[in-house]
Amino acid sequence: MRSWPMRGTVHITTAADHHWLRAALMHRTDAWVRRSESDYGVDDALCERAAEVALGLIGAQGPIARSVLLSAWQEAGLMEAFGGEDVSSYRRRHLLVRLQREGILVQGPRSGNEHLVIDARPLPDADSGPAGAGVSHGGDGHRAACAHIAHRYAVGHGPVSAEDLARWTTLPKTQAARALADAVELGEEQATHFLGSFDELHVGYKDRSCLTDDDGERLICPASNGMFRPILVDRGQVVAVRPVGEGLLWKGGAAPSARVERDVNRAVARMERRLAQ
C-alpha cells in the first residue's frame, strides 16, 4: 500500500499494517485538517461527496488511476473557487490525503509506474494489528501501538534517540521516549530479523563492526561491487544471507545453533507471509 500514514509524507506499507498505523498516528494531522478546511473550504460535506464519487467509480471500474479520480472530482463540481480564488490544486491534494488518512481510500496495485487508487475498507482493520484493538489516540491500545512503531523504527535504523523517533512520527518527544522504553520488551521477543538488500541497519553506517566482521561483509557483498544480499540478523549479528534463488548461506558454513536455525527460518517465513499479503 502507498499512502500517508504519518508525517504528511508518502510511505509504503503492507496491507496488514495500513489501517493500524494510520489510526495510531492520524491525530497528529488534525491541525492540518482544520487549517485546510478554513483556507480551502474542504469541510466534512465536501469530503463525504468526494468519497461517494471515488467509491462509486471504483465500484464500477475497479482500481483507478489518480488522474481518472481527479477528473471525476472536477466533473462533480468539487473543485470550485473558494473565497474568490482558484484552490483546486490544494483541494485535490487535500482530498487524496485526507480520504486515505481516514481509511476510505488507499493506493494499491500498480499499473506501469502508477499506484492505482482502491477502496481501503476491505483491508485488515486497525484492530487486527500487533497492538490489538483501540489503537487510536486515547484508546486502550494506543500506547502499545506506539511501542510497536518505535520497535520497528529502531530495528530499521539502528541506534536511535527519542528525538529521532519524534521527528519520524511527529509524536511528542516525551511520548516518543516512552514508546522506545516500551519497545525494549518487544525487542526481547523479536530478536531475529530477515532484512532486504541495502537495509539501513547495514548500509547506513561506515563502521559496521558492531553488526558483522570481515567474513560477514564478504558474505553480504562477495564481489565488493556494492551489490548486497538480503541478510539474517540474530541478536544484532549477521548470521546468514539469503540470495534470491539460492536459499540460506550461513556465516561460517553452518547455523551456529539449533535455536538460531529455528529463529532464522521463522523470520524468513514471517517475511514471506507479509510480502504475500
Side-chain angles (χ1 to χ4, degrees), residues 60-123:
Q61 300 183 16
I64 56 175
R66 183 170 65 173
S67 59
V68 173
L69 176 59
L70 297 180
S71 295
W73 283 341
Q74 182 77 40
E75 293 172 5
L78 303 183
M79 297 297 127
E80 61 186 10
F82 180 72
E85 298 184 7
D86 178 8
V87 294
S88 57
S89 61
Y90 299 102
R91 279 194 176 184
R92 285 194 292 267
R93 184 182 188 280
H94 181 94
L95 290 173
L96 280 170
V97 175
R98 182 166 170 180
L99 292 181
Q100 294 181 61
R101 170 189 183 269
E102 295 179 358
I104 298 169
L105 302 178
V106 72
Q107 297 166 77
R110 293 176 57 130
S111 177
N113 292 325
E114 183 174 6
H115 289 264
L116 301 180
V117 180
I118 65 172
D119 183 350
R121 296 172 302 173
L123 298 179

Side-chain angles (χ1 to χ4, degrees), residues 127-139:
D127 291 349
S128 66
V135 299
S136 296
H137 185 243

Side-chain angles (χ1 to χ4, degrees), residues 193-197 216 219-222 228-233 238-251 264-273 275:
H193 305 281
F194 181 24
L195 305 175
S197 303
L219 188 65
I220 296 168
C221 186
F228 301 112
R229 292 163 159 174
I231 60 176
L232 278 301
V233 178
V238 171
V239 294
V241 298
R242 193 172 184 267
V244 176
E246 295 185 38
L248 286 170
L249 300 178
W250 292 98
K251 182 174 179 293
V264 161
N265 284 321
R266 286 178 176 175
V268 170
R270 185 166 60 244
M271 179 59 71
E272 289 177 337
R273 288 193 299 271
L275 293 175

Side-chain angles (χ1 to χ4, degrees), residues 43-231:
D43 58 14
D44 290 344
L46 186 74
C47 289
E48 289 172 6
R49 178 60 180 144
E52 180 183 343
V53 171
L55 294 174
L57 198 60
I58 293 168
Q61 300 183 16
I64 56 175
R66 183 170 65 173
S67 59
V68 173
L69 176 59
L70 297 180
S71 295
W73 283 341
Q74 182 77 40
E75 293 172 5
L78 303 183
M79 297 297 127
E80 61 186 10
F82 180 72
E85 298 184 7
D86 178 8
V87 294
S88 57
S89 61
Y90 299 102
R91 279 194 176 184
R92 285 194 292 267
R93 184 182 188 280
H94 181 94
L95 290 173
L96 280 170
V97 175
R98 182 166 170 180
L99 292 181
Q100 294 181 61
R101 170 189 183 269
E102 295 179 358
I104 298 169
L105 302 178
V106 72
Q107 297 166 77
R110 293 176 57 130
S111 177
N113 292 325
E114 183 174 6
H115 289 264
L116 301 180
V117 180
I118 65 172
D119 183 350
R121 296 172 302 173
L123 298 179
D125 64 25
D127 291 349
S128 66
V135 299
S136 296
H137 185 243
D140 292 340
H142 185 250
R143 179 171 177 174
C146 290
H148 280 278
I149 293 168
H151 178 260
R152 293 186 182 192
Y153 177 71
V155 167
H157 293 76
V160 295
S161 66
E163 290 87 347
D164 294 327
L165 180 61
R167 182 195 63 82
W168 186 252
T169 60
T170 71
L171 288 171
K173 181 180 172 182
T174 53
Q175 191 172 355
R178 185 179 70 176
L180 283 171
D182 291 343
V184 172
E185 295 183 9
L186 295 177
E188 292 173 351
E189 298 173 0
Q190 304 174 28
T192 306
H193 305 281
F194 181 24
L195 305 175
S197 303
F198 306 100
D199 189 273
E200 289 187 35
L201 187 63
H202 176 246
V203 302
Y205 299 92
K206 180 178 180 180
D207 181 355
R208 302 165 183 160
S209 57
C210 65
L211 183 69
T212 193
D213 56 17
D214 290 343
D215 289 340
E217 290 290 352
R218 283 190 289 272
L219 188 65
I220 296 168
C221 186
S224 299
N225 60 355
M227 299 304 294
F228 301 112
R229 292 163 159 174
I231 60 176

